[in-house]
Amino acid sequence: MNRIIKLFTATLVCITLSQSVVKASSHREAPLIANDPLADNTDLYAFRSPSDSSKIVLIANYIPFEHPAGGPNWYTFGENIRYEIHIKNQTATTGDDITYRFTFTQVNQDPTTFFNIRLGQQNIKTTYTLERSINNSGVFTTIVSNGIVPPPNIGSRSIENGTVGLGASNYDALMTAAIATATTGEKVFAGPVDDPFFVDLGGAFDVGGFRATGKDGLAKFNCHSLVIEVPISTLQKDGKTTAQASSILDPDFVIGVYASASRPSITTFDSTGGNPVGSGSWVQVSRLGMPLTNEVVIPIGQKDKWNATSPSNDLQFATYFKNPELALYMDDSQFGGAVPGLSSLRIQSNSLGSFDFRNGKPGLYGLKGNPALNGTALSDANFGSILLPDNASPRAVDILPIFYTGVPNLAPYQLATGKPAGSPLSVGKPFINNFLPTLGDLLRLNMAVPVTPRNSPDFSSLGIVKAAVLGLTDARFTASGTALQFIPNMDGFPNGRRLEDDVTTIELQAVSGVALAAIGLWYDDYNTNGNNPVSNQLVNVISFNAGVTANDTTFKTGFPYVQAPWRGFIGANYVGPVNTPLPVNFVDFTANISGDNVVLDWQVTNEVNNNHYDIEQSTGASFSKVGTVNATVGGGIKNYSFTHTTPTKNATNYYRIKQVDNDGKFSYSPIRSVRFDSKTELTVTPNPASSFINISSTQNNINISIFDGNGKKVATKLLTSGNARIDISSLSSGTYIIIAESNGATVASKKIVKQ
């Protein structure tokens, strides 16, 4: 009876609390969710699979700042929480068109020990059930039962030791064993991983104090990840594959994604130490669509409300996107002078001599009702009432659609390539269409856009910003004017979000007006006489980065793509979450075929406290060391080379360089790949040459790049019919390397001499 009375009393208390504490979102960005880390969305990713382009990868991360040595109570997914990934693929319906729901159960296999893992047993062993609802039905069907969640990566005795631990071969083996295939065909993983997000938290939240060399506030922290690889035909509203798409920007292949966590509205605590009991209706306490929305767009007084709100009710928050607070720190008439970390970013105040996009200014509203808007997205017959709502909402024309509707392939939202000078409303080169006008914060992705290979020289963490730069400046794309072409990185943020995408830099560049510039609303110092849009201000914006531009470790080349969690104990050399940047910077890294060998060349700078370089190779699974090169002493740029004499001949060879310091710290280079193909022969004539070279290949559709002696790309050409002529008359005399690539992998290389 006493226990019943206590439970009843606790229930009354919880009912009272639930009336005020039912809201709560991401990397601790909202007040309430900061006290509920198990339900805290940290990040959301959606991208076309780089290893199987017929599928989409959805990744929802939770539980921020997991210290790798966070015992004795290790992090795991929580019970009494619904973790959900929501997909919208139609505008005519209300609610979700597809929902994936994870729920978790925990058990102590050996409650007699204080260890999490001992003698082959796990405590807080976690399993999950995955349910799916489709066609906006609200009916959930179980598609994975008793899914395995790997244990925390505590240390070698806990994981590999066969006497006192689990006796696994390594932690990657546990991750692989935890991969499930749903009854409906999806591949699924749920478990601890390295936190893939990277950002200079200290600088960012000291009122935009970004540093040239930032300190990754998430380095060597873990989180928990839900990863689903889904056939595109499952997510496409009519069940189509990309082979049925009308183009690479087919609007019928656009989806919107957000993730959430919900708890029962009432939690009753047991005074005798039993598990809390959840009851009442489910309440959303966390959600995440576009990254950083609640962190840097929504004001602190609205953050908890934001987390409790469905994206379908987001119109109430639209004002914060029309005049984003961050813009005040990129405006010298406001607070720009007090924030030197953002001094490279300045918003157009007199674009084309007419348009002011600073907060509270008219932007393009002066064109309202002008016949020049007819047929464009800005006409009232289309979306003008949303994009040009009044004369004091300048960013409703760019920031609002990026976050709230996606961007349509409709003038003026096309690259300035092909547009007459000073005519941004004209039709230009298409480069994005992820338009799903549901007026809510969703991560939108056009699934028909091809994949940019991660090992391609064109791959960039700047996503659509880099695609815009290539589409405006690269002869491969500018020569075709307004024709639709696949420009590398069209599959990058904000068209979806890849693990590698530097969303902090991209969003800051966007707030500074880079999207406006891309479509022809150039910065104030645009030279109208010379018609040269590449002004100093544009260069400043494109060159800006947020100080941390890459994750602190690599990503896997195959499912689940996120990297294994950092280990809590690896001996005396362990370096936990710290903010000290690794000293060596990789300037360049190439991998080229030379006969039966692969020659690796790399350049580094800032070589301090460096001991050696391990050369690692993979054919698609794990990497293994194939050689070591000792570091040299001294400053400046250093050049290193290694010849791998035993590459695999019948598969793609992936290479990376592991830089190791004297104190055991290490970092990795980007990944490069080569593929031997006996059918690919490259002929270059004449050699030496003075004015032009003729290139022929036994393989069609390969990309040719020419690099100078410093590793700088000086020319590129696509061989569509196996032959091409390249003008080299403007190149300086010297030795150059020609590299042929197919699907992002080097298939042949030649050395030439320019006389």
Coordinates of all heavy atoms in Angstrom, one line a residue, residues 604-670:
V604 N 52.7 18.4 -47.4 CA 52.2 18.8 -46.1 C 52.9 20.2 -45.7 O 54.0 20.5 -46.3 CB 52.5 17.8 -45.0 CG1 51.8 16.5 -45.3 CG2 54.0 17.5 -44.8
T605 N 52.3 20.8 -44.8 CA 52.9 22.0 -44.2 C 52.6 22.1 -42.8 O 51.8 21.2 -42.2 CB 52.3 23.3 -44.9 OG1 53.0 24.5 -44.4 CG2 50.8 23.5 -44.6
N606 N 53.2 23.0 -42.0 CA 53.1 23.1 -40.6 C 53.4 21.8 -39.9 O 52.7 21.3 -39.0 CB 51.6 23.5 -40.2 CG 51.5 24.0 -38.8 OD1 52.4 24.5 -38.3 ND2 50.3 23.8 -38.2
E607 N 54.5 21.2 -40.3 CA 55.0 19.9 -39.8 C 55.7 20.0 -38.5 O 56.9 20.2 -38.5 CB 55.9 19.2 -40.9 CG 56.0 17.7 -40.7 CD 56.8 17.1 -41.9 OE1 57.7 17.7 -42.3 OE2 56.4 16.0 -42.3
V608 N 54.9 20.0 -37.4 CA 55.5 20.2 -36.1 C 55.2 18.9 -35.3 O 54.2 18.3 -35.3 CB 54.8 21.4 -35.4 CG1 55.3 21.5 -34.0 CG2 54.9 22.6 -36.2
N609 N 56.3 18.4 -34.6 CA 56.1 17.3 -33.7 C 55.7 16.0 -34.5 O 55.2 15.1 -33.9 CB 55.1 17.5 -32.6 CG 55.1 16.5 -31.5 OD1 56.2 16.0 -31.1 ND2 53.9 16.2 -31.0
N610 N 56.0 16.0 -35.8 CA 55.6 14.9 -36.6 C 56.7 13.8 -36.6 O 57.9 14.0 -36.7 CB 55.4 15.3 -38.1 CG 54.7 14.3 -38.9 OD1 54.0 13.5 -38.4 ND2 54.9 14.3 -40.2
N611 N 56.2 12.5 -36.6 CA 57.1 11.4 -36.5 C 57.2 10.6 -37.8 O 58.3 10.4 -38.4 CB 56.7 10.4 -35.4 CG 57.7 9.3 -35.2 OD1 57.7 8.3 -35.8 ND2 58.6 9.5 -34.2
H612 N 56.1 10.2 -38.3 CA 56.1 9.4 -39.6 C 54.7 9.4 -40.2 O 53.8 9.8 -39.6 CB 56.6 8.0 -39.3 CG 55.6 7.2 -38.5 ND1 55.6 7.2 -37.1 CD2 54.6 6.3 -38.8 CE1 54.6 6.4 -36.6 NE2 54.0 5.9 -37.7
Y613 N 54.7 8.8 -41.4 CA 53.5 8.6 -42.2 C 53.2 7.1 -42.4 O 54.2 6.5 -43.0 CB 53.5 9.4 -43.5 CG 53.7 10.9 -43.3 CD1 54.9 11.4 -43.3 CD2 52.5 11.7 -43.2 CE1 55.1 12.8 -43.1 CE2 52.7 13.0 -43.1 CZ 53.9 13.6 -43.0 OH 54.1 15.0 -42.9
D614 N 52.1 6.6 -42.1 CA 51.7 5.2 -42.5 C 50.8 5.3 -43.7 O 49.9 6.1 -43.8 CB 50.9 4.6 -41.3 CG 51.8 4.2 -40.1 OD1 53.0 4.0 -40.3 OD2 51.2 4.1 -39.0
I615 N 51.2 4.5 -44.7 CA 50.4 4.4 -45.9 C 49.4 3.3 -45.8 O 49.8 2.1 -45.5 CB 51.3 4.2 -47.2 CG1 52.2 5.5 -47.4 CG2 50.5 4.0 -48.4 CD1 53.4 5.5 -46.6
E616 N 48.1 3.5 -45.9 CA 47.1 2.5 -45.8 C 46.3 2.3 -47.0 O 46.0 3.3 -47.8 CB 46.2 2.9 -44.6 CG 46.9 3.0 -43.3 CD 46.0 3.4 -42.1 OE1 44.8 3.7 -42.4 OE2 46.4 3.3 -41.0
Q617 N 46.0 1.1 -47.3 CA 45.3 0.7 -48.5 C 44.0 -0.1 -48.2 O 44.0 -0.8 -47.2 CB 46.2 -0.1 -49.5 CG 45.6 -0.5 -50.8 CD 45.6 -2.0 -51.1 OE1 45.9 -2.8 -50.2 NE2 45.4 -2.4 -52.3
S618 N 43.0 0.0 -49.0 CA 41.8 -0.8 -48.9 C 41.2 -1.1 -50.3 O 41.4 -0.3 -51.2 CB 40.8 0.0 -48.0 OG 39.5 -0.6 -48.1
T619 N 40.5 -2.2 -50.3 CA 39.8 -2.5 -51.6 C 38.3 -2.3 -51.4 O 37.5 -2.9 -52.1 CB 40.1 -3.9 -52.1 OG1 39.9 -4.8 -51.1 CG2 41.6 -3.9 -52.5
G620 N 37.9 -1.6 -50.3 CA 36.5 -1.4 -50.1 C 36.0 -1.7 -48.7 O 34.9 -1.3 -48.2
A621 N 36.8 -2.5 -47.9 CA 36.4 -2.8 -46.5 C 37.3 -2.0 -45.6 O 37.4 -0.8 -45.7 CB 36.6 -4.3 -46.3
S622 N 38.0 -2.6 -44.7 CA 38.9 -1.9 -43.8 C 40.3 -1.6 -44.4 O 40.7 -2.3 -45.4 CB 39.1 -2.7 -42.5 OG 39.7 -4.0 -42.8
F623 N 40.9 -0.6 -43.9 CA 42.2 -0.2 -44.4 C 43.3 -1.0 -43.6 O 43.2 -1.3 -42.4 CB 42.5 1.3 -44.1 CG 41.8 2.2 -45.2 CD1 40.5 2.6 -45.0 CD2 42.6 2.6 -46.3 CE1 39.9 3.4 -46.0 CE2 42.0 3.4 -47.2 CZ 40.7 3.8 -47.1
S624 N 44.4 -1.3 -44.3 CA 45.6 -1.9 -43.7 C 46.8 -1.2 -44.1 O 46.9 -0.6 -45.2 CB 45.6 -3.4 -44.1 OG 45.7 -3.6 -45.5
K625 N 47.8 -1.2 -43.3 CA 49.1 -0.5 -43.6 C 49.9 -1.3 -44.6 O 50.1 -2.5 -44.5 CB 49.9 -0.3 -42.3 CG 51.1 0.6 -42.5 CD 51.8 0.9 -41.1 CE 52.5 -0.3 -40.6 NZ 53.3 0.1 -39.4
V626 N 50.4 -0.6 -45.6 CA 51.3 -1.2 -46.6 C 52.6 -0.6 -46.7 O 53.5 -1.0 -47.4 CB 50.6 -1.1 -48.0 CG1 49.3 -1.9 -48.0 CG2 50.3 0.4 -48.4
G627 N 52.9 0.4 -45.8 CA 54.2 1.0 -45.8 C 54.3 2.2 -44.8 O 53.3 2.6 -44.3
T628 N 55.5 2.6 -44.6 CA 55.8 3.8 -43.7 C 56.9 4.7 -44.3 O 57.8 4.2 -44.9 CB 56.2 3.3 -42.3 OG1 55.2 2.5 -41.7 CG2 56.6 4.4 -41.4
V629 N 56.7 6.0 -44.1 CA 57.7 6.9 -44.6 C 58.0 7.8 -43.4 O 57.0 8.4 -42.8 CB 57.2 7.8 -45.8 CG1 58.2 8.9 -46.1 CG2 56.9 6.9 -47.0
N630 N 59.2 8.0 -43.0 CA 59.6 8.8 -41.9 C 59.5 10.3 -42.2 O 59.7 10.7 -43.4 CB 61.0 8.5 -41.4 CG 61.1 7.1 -40.8 OD1 60.2 6.6 -40.1 ND2 62.3 6.5 -40.9
A631 N 59.1 11.1 -41.2 CA 59.0 12.5 -41.4 C 60.4 13.1 -41.4 O 61.3 12.6 -40.8 CB 58.1 13.1 -40.4
T632 N 60.5 14.3 -42.1 CA 61.8 15.0 -42.1 C 61.6 16.2 -41.2 O 60.5 16.5 -40.7 CB 62.1 15.5 -43.6 OG1 61.0 16.3 -44.0 CG2 62.3 14.4 -44.5
V633 N 62.7 16.8 -40.9 CA 62.8 17.9 -39.9 C 62.9 19.3 -40.7 O 63.6 19.4 -41.7 CB 63.9 17.8 -39.0 CG1 64.0 19.0 -38.0 CG2 63.9 16.5 -38.2
G634 N 62.1 20.3 -40.2 CA 62.2 21.6 -40.9 C 60.8 22.1 -41.2 O 59.9 21.4 -41.2
G635 N 60.8 23.4 -41.5 CA 59.5 24.1 -41.8 C 59.2 24.1 -43.3 O 59.9 23.5 -44.1
G636 N 58.1 24.8 -43.6 CA 57.7 25.0 -45.0 C 57.0 23.8 -45.5 O 56.6 22.9 -44.8
I637 N 56.8 23.8 -46.9 CA 56.0 22.7 -47.5 C 57.0 21.5 -47.7 O 58.1 21.7 -48.2 CB 55.5 23.2 -48.9 CG1 54.4 24.2 -48.6 CG2 54.9 22.0 -49.7 CD1 53.7 24.8 -49.9
K638 N 56.5 20.4 -47.4 CA 57.3 19.1 -47.6 C 56.7 18.2 -48.6 O 55.4 18.1 -48.6 CB 57.5 18.4 -46.2 CG 58.1 19.2 -45.1 CD 59.6 19.4 -45.4 CE 60.3 20.0 -44.2 NZ 60.2 19.1 -43.0
N639 N 57.5 17.6 -49.4 CA 57.0 16.6 -50.4 C 57.4 15.2 -50.0 O 58.6 15.0 -49.7 CB 57.5 17.0 -51.8 CG 57.0 18.3 -52.3 OD1 55.9 18.4 -52.7 ND2 57.8 19.4 -52.2
Y640 N 56.5 14.3 -50.1 CA 56.8 12.9 -49.8 C 56.2 12.0 -50.9 O 55.3 12.4 -51.6 CB 56.1 12.5 -48.5 CG 56.7 13.1 -47.3 CD1 56.1 14.3 -46.8 CD2 57.8 12.6 -46.6 CE1 56.7 14.9 -45.6 CE2 58.3 13.2 -45.5 CZ 57.8 14.4 -45.0 OH 58.3 15.0 -43.9
S641 N 56.8 10.8 -51.0 CA 56.4 9.9 -52.1 C 56.5 8.4 -51.6 O 57.4 8.2 -50.8 CB 57.2 10.1 -53.4 OG 56.7 9.2 -54.4
F642 N 55.7 7.6 -52.1 CA 55.7 6.2 -51.7 C 55.2 5.4 -52.9 O 54.2 5.7 -53.5 CB 54.9 5.8 -50.5 CG 54.8 4.4 -50.1 CD1 55.8 3.8 -49.4 CD2 53.7 3.6 -50.5 CE1 55.8 2.4 -49.1 CE2 53.7 2.3 -50.2 CZ 54.7 1.7 -49.5
T643 N 55.9 4.3 -53.3 CA 55.5 3.4 -54.3 C 54.9 2.1 -53.8 O 55.6 1.4 -53.1 CB 56.6 3.1 -55.3 OG1 57.1 4.4 -55.9 CG2 56.2 2.2 -56.4
H644 N 53.7 1.8 -54.1 CA 53.0 0.6 -53.6 C 53.2 -0.4 -54.8 O 52.6 -0.3 -55.9 CB 51.6 0.8 -53.3 CG 50.9 -0.4 -52.7 ND1 49.6 -0.7 -52.9 CD2 51.4 -1.4 -52.0 CE1 49.3 -1.8 -52.3 NE2 50.4 -2.3 -51.7
T645 N 54.0 -1.5 -54.5 CA 54.3 -2.4 -55.6 C 53.4 -3.6 -55.7 O 53.5 -4.4 -56.6 CB 55.8 -3.0 -55.3 OG1 55.8 -3.6 -54.0 CG2 56.8 -1.8 -55.4
T646 N 52.4 -3.7 -54.7 CA 51.5 -4.9 -54.7 C 50.1 -4.4 -54.7 O 49.3 -4.9 -53.8 CB 51.8 -5.8 -53.6 OG1 51.7 -5.1 -52.4 CG2 53.2 -6.5 -53.7
P647 N 49.6 -3.5 -55.5 CA 48.2 -3.1 -55.5 C 47.3 -4.3 -56.1 O 47.8 -5.2 -56.7 CB 48.2 -1.9 -56.4 CG 49.3 -2.1 -57.4 CD 50.4 -2.8 -56.6
T648 N 46.1 -4.2 -55.7 CA 45.1 -5.2 -56.2 C 44.7 -4.8 -57.7 O 44.4 -3.7 -58.0 CB 43.8 -5.2 -55.4 OG1 44.2 -5.5 -54.0 CG2 42.9 -6.2 -55.8
K649 N 44.8 -5.8 -58.6 CA 44.6 -5.5 -60.0 C 43.2 -5.6 -60.5 O 42.8 -5.1 -61.5 CB 45.5 -6.4 -60.8 CG 47.0 -6.3 -60.6 CD 47.5 -4.9 -60.9 CE 48.9 -4.6 -60.6 NZ 49.8 -5.5 -61.3
N650 N 42.4 -6.3 -59.7 CA 41.0 -6.6 -60.2 C 39.9 -5.9 -59.3 O 38.8 -6.2 -59.3 CB 40.7 -8.1 -60.2 CG 40.8 -8.7 -58.8 OD1 41.3 -8.0 -57.9 ND2 40.5 -10.0 -58.7
A651 N 40.3 -4.8 -58.6 CA 39.4 -4.0 -57.8 C 40.0 -2.6 -57.6 O 41.1 -2.4 -57.9 CB 39.2 -4.7 -56.5
T652 N 39.1 -1.7 -57.2 CA 39.6 -0.3 -56.9 C 40.4 -0.3 -55.7 O 40.1 -0.9 -54.6 CB 38.4 0.6 -56.7 OG1 37.6 0.6 -57.9 CG2 38.8 2.0 -56.5
N653 N 41.6 0.3 -55.7 CA 42.5 0.5 -54.6 C 42.3 1.9 -54.0 O 42.4 2.9 -54.7 CB 43.9 0.4 -55.1 CG 44.3 -1.0 -55.6 OD1 44.8 -1.8 -54.9 ND2 44.0 -1.2 -56.9
Y654 N 41.9 1.9 -52.7 CA 41.7 3.2 -52.0 C 42.9 3.4 -51.1 O 43.4 2.4 -50.4 CB 40.5 3.1 -51.1 CG 39.2 2.9 -51.9 CD1 38.6 1.7 -52.1 CD2 38.5 4.1 -52.4 CE1 37.4 1.6 -52.8 CE2 37.3 3.9 -53.1 CZ 36.8 2.7 -53.3 OH 35.6 2.5 -54.0
Y655 N 43.4 4.6 -51.1 CA 44.6 4.9 -50.3 C 44.3 6.1 -49.4 O 43.6 7.0 -49.8 CB 45.8 5.2 -51.2 CG 46.3 4.1 -52.0 CD1 45.9 3.9 -53.3 CD2 47.2 3.2 -51.5 CE1 46.3 2.8 -54.0 CE2 47.7 2.1 -52.2 CZ 47.2 1.9 -53.5 OH 47.7 0.8 -54.2
R656 N 45.0 6.1 -48.2 CA 45.0 7.3 -47.3 C 46.3 7.3 -46.6 O 47.0 6.2 -46.5 CB 43.8 7.2 -46.3 CG 43.9 6.2 -45.3 CD 42.7 6.1 -44.4 NE 42.8 5.1 -43.3 CZ 41.8 4.8 -42.5 NH1 40.6 5.4 -42.6 NH2 42.0 3.9 -41.6
I657 N 46.7 8.5 -46.2 CA 48.0 8.6 -45.4 C 47.6 8.9 -44.0 O 46.9 9.9 -43.7 CB 48.8 9.8 -46.0 CG1 49.0 9.6 -47.5 CG2 50.2 9.8 -45.3 CD1 49.8 8.3 -47.9
K658 N 48.2 8.2 -43.0 CA 48.0 8.4 -41.6 C 49.2 9.1 -41.1 O 50.3 8.6 -41.1 CB 47.8 7.1 -40.9 CG 47.6 7.2 -39.4 CD 47.4 5.9 -38.7 CE 47.2 6.0 -37.2 NZ 47.0 4.7 -36.6
Q659 N 49.0 10.4 -40.7 CA 50.1 11.1 -40.1 C 50.2 10.9 -38.6 O 49.2 11.1 -37.9 CB 49.9 12.6 -40.5 CG 50.9 13.6 -39.7 CD 50.3 14.1 -38.4 OE1 49.1 14.3 -38.3 NE2 51.2 14.1 -37.4
V660 N 51.3 10.5 -38.1 CA 51.5 10.2 -36.7 C 52.5 11.1 -36.0 O 53.6 11.2 -36.5 CB 51.9 8.7 -36.5 CG1 52.0 8.3 -35.0 CG2 51.0 7.7 -37.3
D661 N 52.1 11.7 -34.9 CA 53.0 12.6 -34.2 C 53.9 11.8 -33.2 O 53.6 10.6 -32.9 CB 52.2 13.6 -33.4 CG 51.6 14.7 -34.3 OD1 52.0 14.7 -35.5 OD2 50.7 15.4 -33.8
N662 N 54.9 12.5 -32.6 CA 55.7 11.9 -31.6 C 55.0 11.5 -30.4 O 55.4 10.5 -29.7 CB 56.9 12.9 -31.2 CG 57.8 13.1 -32.3 OD1 58.2 12.2 -33.1 ND2 58.3 14.3 -32.5
D663 N 53.9 12.2 -30.1 CA 53.1 11.9 -28.9 C 51.9 10.9 -29.1 O 51.1 10.7 -28.3 CB 52.6 13.2 -28.2 CG 51.7 14.0 -29.2 OD1 51.4 13.5 -30.3 OD2 51.4 15.1 -28.8
G664 N 51.9 10.3 -30.3 CA 50.9 9.3 -30.6 C 49.6 9.9 -31.3 O 48.8 9.1 -31.8
K665 N 49.5 11.2 -31.3 CA 48.3 11.8 -32.0 C 48.4 11.5 -33.5 O 49.5 11.4 -34.1 CB 48.2 13.3 -31.8 CG 48.0 13.7 -30.3 CD 48.0 15.2 -30.2 CE 47.9 15.6 -28.8 NZ 47.9 17.1 -28.6
F666 N 47.3 11.4 -34.2 CA 47.4 11.2 -35.6 C 46.2 11.8 -36.3 O 45.2 12.2 -35.7 CB 47.4 9.7 -35.9 CG 46.2 8.9 -35.4 CD1 45.1 8.8 -36.2 CD2 46.1 8.4 -34.1 CE1 43.9 8.1 -35.8 CE2 45.0 7.7 -33.7 CZ 43.9 7.6 -34.5
S667 N 46.3 12.0 -37.6 CA 45.2 12.4 -38.5 C 45.4 11.8 -39.8 O 46.4 11.1 -40.1 CB 45.3 14.0 -38.6 OG 46.5 14.4 -39.3
Y668 N 44.3 11.9 -40.7 CA 44.3 11.2 -42.0 C 44.2 12.2 -43.1 O 43.6 13.3 -43.0 CB 43.1 10.2 -42.1 CG 43.3 9.0 -41.2 CD1 42.6 8.8 -40.0 CD2 44.1 7.9 -41.7 CE1 42.7 7.7 -39.3 CE2 44.2 6.8 -40.9 CZ 43.5 6.7 -39.7 OH 43.6 5.5 -39.0
S669 N 44.8 11.8 -44.2 CA 44.6 12.6 -45.4 C 43.3 12.3 -46.0 O 42.6 11.4 -45.6 CB 45.7 12.2 -46.4 OG 45.5 10.9 -46.9
P670 N 42.9 13.0 -47.1 CA 41.7 12.5 -47.9 C 42.0 11.2 -48.5 O 43.2 10.8 -48.6 CB 41.6 13.6 -48.9 CG 42.3 14.8 -48.4 CD 43.4 14.3 -47.6

